[in-house]
Each structure stands twice: as structure tokens, then as C-alpha cells.
Amino acid sequence: GGSAGKEGPIAQIGAGLGSVLASWLGLRPRDRRILVLAGAAGGIGAIFHAPLGAALFAPEVLYRETEFEFEAIMPCIVASIVASAIFDQYSGRAALFFPGQVEFEYRELLAYMIFGVICAVVGYVYIKVFYGARDYFFHPLKIPRIFKPALGGLLLGLVAFLGPPVLDGGYGWIQVVMEGKIFWSSMLLLAFLKIIATTCTISSGGSGGVFGPSVFIGAMLGGAVGFLGHSLAPYWIIHPQSFVLVGIGGFFAGVA
């Protein structure tokens, strides 16, 4: 029920396996770092059925040296494709979401630019709340560390009374938003409740990734802007469902 993604743990597990393999092979530190990224990419590519996305995600997010990112991309692609192919043989292959027909018109460009600014502002709030709670609330608490995630879980439970969809990954609710079955104000509320829920889960010391929550927040934000904008200015926002997908990519691009 914790509000966190599975990509964080699998990236750490895959990276750990890459480091162990590098030790067995006696590789140099630079080759070890490449193998660590390849392991992370393989794990993420497998569980999300997205080998290309994972291969680009691992070197870009986990490393900030342009030269190193370039050098690691090909090993990450190989590891991610092999891991995803083997994983799909046993678990089957299915998309996380089914957005239907995604359409775009040039007169919507201005709306997308404005929406990009909104994603940046909400992303700034997300980062400040996330790290602020960790640094100024959970870390200074004079209680044993093992009890801090328990306190975070208690606070998460209180948040879930207001919005049960914030529990777990919430991918099913993203699909509901893509189909336009939630009112825009509820989407906006869920976006901010998810920020609080993720903060309670991870900032308290819980184990999980921030990609899943970022996808949820971006989708809810995109749905709120898209459907509200469509009702106010249907000429400028013609395809509100498309804003859900754009919100997923735009919001995560900013916070990551």
C-alpha cells in the first residue's frame, strides 16, 4: 500500500548484481560503473516491458557526465533488451496503459507550453515537500530509525482516508483518468494528495522509487488541465486525454 514505485528497488537490485559480476570478473572501476548502469537498465526494462525507455533512463537519470552517458547507452540497450525478452517469456507482455487514439493539433501548442510551466511549478512543490519533510521532520525526530517508516505509514493511512487512490502505484486510476471518468477537480486533489502520500512513504525511510508516483501525479495534473481547459476553451484544448500522457512525460522530465 505504500505510495512508491517498484523501479527504485529493481534498479538497486539490478545495479547490485552488476557490481557483483564486475567483482567476479575483476573489472576496472569505469567498467564496473557501466555494468552497474546496465544492471539497473535490465531490471527496469524487464518489469516495465520497456527496454528502450529503460536503456535511456538509466544513464541519463543516474549519471550526469555526458561522455559517460554516451558510452553506457549501448551496454544498457543490450542488457535491457535481453532482460525484457526473457522476462516477457515468463510473465507475458502487456502495456501498463491503454490510452486509445492520441491526437494532436498545432493550435494546442500554446496550451502545452502553458501546461509545461504548470508541471514545472508543481514539480518544484513536489521536490520541496519531499526533501523538506525528510530533512526537517523525519531526520530530526528523536526516535529510533526503525520507527520512522512506521510513523510515515501511519500518516499515509490518514492521507488515504481522504484519497484511497494514492495507495500503491495507482496505475489503474491513471487508466480511469485517460478515459475521462473522474472530474477534473478530483484529479487535481489526487495529484497533491499523492505528493503528500509519497513524502510520507519514502521521506520517512520507506523503500521505493519516485518514478511511479511521478507518473501518477503527472497524469492527474494533465487530466485536470486537459479536461478543465477543454470545458473553458475547447478551441485551444481539443484532445484532453492527450494531456494525460503529456503530463506523465513532462512532469517526470522536470522532477528527475
Side-chain angles (χ1 to χ4, degrees):
S3 177
K6 56 188 177 181
E7 76 292 334
I10 194 62
Q12 188 173 13
I13 293 168
L17 292 174
S19 182
V20 169
L21 182 59
S23 296
W24 286 349
L25 298 176
L27 300 181
R28 298 175 302 162
R30 185 173 183 83
D31 295 328
R32 176 191 297 274
R33 290 196 294 270
I34 292 178
L35 205 55
V36 163
L37 287 179
I44 295 172
I47 63 172
F48 283 107
H49 309 284
L52 180 58
L56 297 177
F57 171 88
E60 183 178 22
V61 173
L62 303 182
Y63 261 90
R64 295 306 175 96
E65 297 178 29
T66 305
E67 177 189 359
F68 191 84
E69 290 174 4
F70 174 78
E71 190 176 346
I73 284 178
M74 188 55 66
C76 286
I77 289 176
V78 173
S80 186
I81 289 176
V82 171
S84 179
I86 295 174
F87 187 82
D88 291 350
Q89 290 296 317
Y90 290 94
S91 67
R93 179 172 177 83
L96 285 176
F97 312 116
F98 300 91
Q101 186 174 0
V102 179
E103 301 179 71
F104 166 77
E105 294 194 25
Y106 287 106
R107 52 183 160 166
E108 293 180 298
L109 271 177
L110 179 60
Y112 280 119
M113 291 175 63
I114 296 173
F115 179 48
V117 175
I118 294 173
C119 284
V121 172
V122 177
Y124 179 81
V125 172
Y126 178 35
I127 295 297
K128 285 296 183 182
V129 171
F130 184 87
Y131 287 112
R134 183 195 68 179
D135 297 336
Y136 300 109
F137 178 69
F138 287 109
H139 274 192
L141 280 178
K142 302 298 182 182
I143 60 175
R145 284 185 61 193
I146 58 173
F147 294 127
K148 292 181 181 180
L151 175 61
L154 174 62
L155 296 175
L156 170 65
L158 297 176
V159 174
F161 272 113
L162 300 174
V166 302
L167 293 172
D168 202 19
Y171 289 147
W173 289 98
I174 296 175
Q175 181 63 45
V176 173
V177 169
M178 288 180 177
E179 298 168 4
K181 296 180 179 179
I182 303 179
F183 193 58
W184 68 265
S185 61
S186 298
M187 299 179 196
L188 189 62
L189 175 63
L190 286 174
F192 285 97
L193 286 179
K194 188 68 171 180
I195 291 176
I196 300 173
T198 305
T199 298
C200 293
T201 300
I202 304 178
S203 296
S204 63
S207 176
V210 295
F211 174 73
S214 298
V215 167
F216 184 95
I217 296 167
M220 294 298 165
L221 199 59
V225 172
F227 287 102
L228 173 61
H230 182 68
S231 64
L232 297 178
Y235 181 81
W236 296 105
I237 297 182
I238 305 163
H239 309 291
Q241 287 90 346
S242 299
F243 278 75
V244 178
L245 284 179
V246 173
I248 291 173
F251 186 80
F252 182 69
V255 299

